[in-house]
Amino acid sequence: MDSPQTLFEKVWRPHEVAAETPDTPAILYIDLHLIHEVTSPQAFTVLRERGLGVRRPELTFATMDHSTPTRTEQVFGGAPIAIEAAARQVRELEVNCHAFGVELLGLRHARRGIVHVIGPELGLTQPGKTVVCGDSHTSTHGALGALAFGIGTTEVGHVLATQCLLQKKPRTLAINVNGRLAAGVTAKDLILAIIGTIGVAGGTGFVIEYRGATIRALDMDERMTVCNMSIEAGARAGMIAPDETTYAYLAGRLRVPQGEAWEQALEEWRQLPTDAGARFDKEIDIDAAALEPMVTYGTNPGMVIPISGSIPQRPGDAMFAKSLAYMGFEPGRPVAEQPVNVVFVGSCTNGRLSDLRDAASLLRGRKVAPGVQMLVVPGSKEVKRAAEAEGLHTVFLEAGAEWREPGCSMCLGMNGDLVPKGQYAVSTSNRNFEGRQGVGARTLLASPLTAAASAVRGRVTDPRELL
Amino acid sequence: MDAIKTFRSRTVVLAASDVDTDQIIPARFLTTTTRSGLGANLFADWRYGSDGAARADFVLNRPEAQGCTILVAGNNFGCGSSREHAPWALTDYGFRAVVSTQFADIFRANALKNRLVPVIVDQATHGWLVEHPGADVTVDLESTTLMLPAGRAVRFPLEPFARYCLMNGVDELGFLLGRQTEIVAYEQRLRSATVASVAG
Ligand code: SF4
């Protein structure tokens, strides 16, 4: 009898073109390669220089999201893309996809969106697949039981040319989550709490499998939020075993197998969950019932506290002091009640329909506080359409928020959607690094509920006060 | 590609831990479509004031840091975004090695592909290096050691394959292309075994 295997091993093994040896890494076959405008141009240049083509264009899929505008007139005409270099990247991706036969969801395509939102949405991401993209939040796709991780541009070139990557086999980390999340506490709060517990390097060298009753009870949007931020704990990939929730989500999507092939795929997917008795290299237990809404106070996602808590004291830690100085905070004080200038709801972490519903639920019949700019950016055109069909956009607009075209937007500010210097932003994105949302911008990461509550009050607010 | 065997330099020390790739090269410089020229904006928000002038208090701007090719960095260097622009900026600036106690996974992989050597050392060695900026050190790939002044030397971990590629100027793409037969055989095995496909 075969020894019990983890989900990770069950995906990794069948993709080994050649297993790891003492002298060489494994050659791993890639089932789905997602590309975008920022990390692909130099890879295509290498293909050209070496006279190579794309080995499996039908397994390669392109979109544009990072540097694209979110203002309707810049997307659909009437105004040029404000940043010339961004416009050049968009054009270059169009040219490359055309020349190499890669399918592209271009700027005006009805299904364009953030790469990690549209992969699952289109049914491209499936259980058991290996998925890569030149972007660290590729870990998102692990929510469907895929092995998905971010790669650099040189590796993008490797996959384009050979459909393979040289990889050292990572170790496995089980994060067992049990207990019911309280009202007002979301998947975002859960993953922030996990990162706060294991630290921003706690997952380095590991693939995480999120397990336990709490994870099983999450819907797909929530599972994606959790897996998305695996990289903020240093783990390249986060995975959740596929189950009926996964299959119900995938059923009928555009690119999933249909008819008899669907039945056969289901049969295979049902074999994927970790066997009883399989060993992980490391295990951690988290009690979800004890969690509160979480908010970051520093300049990495591990610097996070419950919203009712206070910033810790770390005398003698110069880095900590520097980080707080950047944020304009002192140790020992709470973050709640901090006045905010900007609120951003969006990104591949929290730009899906359920996130927008959460934010709208607190904004309905309320107003964004005077002086606060609130930006709501759907993760994809599909999310935008679905939200508009429910009237969510009206809720946002009537509350005084802006409703934009999909893209990464203020998550990294490449397209000009920036937080002004020194201002405080409550953001549903994933990184609060210095300058991430603009030079001198001060980012507080939180859930869509906390973001919306903070927009209404104009200060960092526990969403449970408005539920 | 150039083969690398050994190189020597004074060190420059940037001891902060968890330095993310957004600090190494901020997102607004990622609109480039080439690999070159990023060195000018390495650590841009720490290196230059809002007026664009070099900040005298930033370590890379000090006279003694000029010409140094070995960076001593803090724990978990290169975390965050997978942007290969980070090692491109470091190598374009002139760095050939970064010494730390730990590197983020994707950064380390990207660094090796750009012939930027990630040197992992123990806490004690790291502590000594942080306290002695400008130390004259040598990275030797033959023996995978970091040689410190006064004859001290510490081994650092480096996978045999990565070491082989660095020392022989081999690039991984060439290696993978050389394994085409196995890739084709794998694809044929797969085609006969499964029907699930992305085409729909
Ligand atoms: S939304 Fe933010 S984190 Fe996600 S892919 Fe875009 S830039 Fe990266």
Side-chain angles (χ1 to χ4, degrees), chain A residues 154-209:
Chain A
T154 299
E155 290 177 315
V156 170
H158 294 177
V159 181
L160 289 174
T162 70
Q163 204 58 33
C164 289
L165 277 177
L166 292 166
Q167 287 292 302
K168 194 172 145 195
K169 195 172 179 179
R171 292 182 295 158
T172 52
L173 166 62
I175 298 189
N176 305 306
V177 191
N178 287 291
R180 262 184 75 152
L181 290 169
V185 183
T186 68
K188 177 64 164 291
D189 303 301
L190 170 61
I191 187 63
L192 284 171
I194 290 173
I195 298 163
T197 305
I198 72 174
V200 290
T204 303
F206 290 100
V207 165
I208 299 175
E209 183 183 333

Side-chain angles (χ1 to χ4, degrees), chain B residues 39-124:
Chain B
N41 293 311
L42 175 69
F43 296 117
D45 291 338
W46 291 348
R47 203 163 136 204
Y48 307 111
S50 44
D51 56 353
R55 292 159 67 143
D57 61 345
F58 185 63
V59 57
L60 289 193
N61 294 330
R62 297 211 192 105
E64 65 272 20
Q66 306 316 306
C68 293
T69 63
I70 298 177
L71 175 68
V72 174
N75 192 57
N76 195 29
F77 187 74
C79 60
S81 157
S82 60
R83 58 187 71 164
E84 197 162 322
H85 308 71
W88 293 338
L90 286 158
T91 53
D92 189 58
Y93 180 86
F95 285 119
R96 304 184 67 188
V98 184
V99 185
S100 178
T101 43
Q102 185 184 26
F103 293 93
D105 284 337
I106 304 179
F107 175 82
R108 185 169 185 277
N110 284 338
L112 285 167
K113 287 174 182 62
N114 291 282
R115 323 188 74 63
L116 177 68
V117 184
V119 178
I120 299 173
V121 296
D122 58 273
Q123 290 287 357

Side-chain angles (χ1 to χ4, degrees), chain A residues 66 114 116 135 137 347-348 408 411-412 430 436:
Chain A
H66 281 68
I114 303 173
H116 310 309
D135 188 282
H137 291 98
S347 88
C348 60
C408 296
C411 174
L412 90 167
N430 43 54
R436 169 83 176 182

Side-chain angles (χ1 to χ4, degrees), chain A residues 14-15 22-23 29 42 46 50 55 58 85 89 129 135-136 152-155 205 319 431 433-434 436 439, chain B residues 16 20 22-23 28 30-31 34-35 46 80-82 84 105 110 113 160-161 171 180 184 186-187 198:
Chain A
H15 288 91
D23 292 327
Y29 201 80
Q42 296 87 347
V46 169
R50 299 172 73 142
R55 181 175 181 85
E58 76 282 14
Q89 273 187 336
K129 277 190 179 182
D135 188 282
S136 62
T153 297
T154 299
E155 290 177 315
M319 272 305 293
R431 286 183 175 145
F433 298 152
E434 271 183 42
R436 169 83 176 182
V439 178
Chain B
D20 56 80
D22 273 82
Q23 306 317 313
R28 61 185 182 279
L30 306 189
T31 50
T34 65
R35 291 165 188 250
W46 291 348
S81 157
S82 60
E84 197 162 322
D105 284 337
N110 284 338
K113 287 174 182 62
F161 182 71
D171 85 294
Q180 294 252 30
V184 170
Y186 175 89
E187 285 171 340
V198 278

Side-chain angles (χ1 to χ4, degrees), chain A residues 24-75:
Chain A
T24 49
I27 301 178
L28 195 70
Y29 201 80
I30 302 305
D31 297 326
L32 174 65
H33 185 196
L34 302 167
I35 60 175
H36 64 80
E37 77 280 20
V38 177
T39 57
S40 68
Q42 296 87 347
F44 281 108
T45 302
V46 169
L47 294 191
R48 283 203 179 81
E49 283 167 3
R50 299 172 73 142
L52 297 165
V54 173
R55 181 175 181 85
R56 302 286 304 272
E58 76 282 14
L59 303 184
T60 314
F61 196 86
T63 190
M64 36 184 78
D65 50 8
H66 281 68
S67 59
T68 52
T70 53
R71 292 200 182 271
T72 306
E73 65 280 12
Q74 290 186 26
V75 175

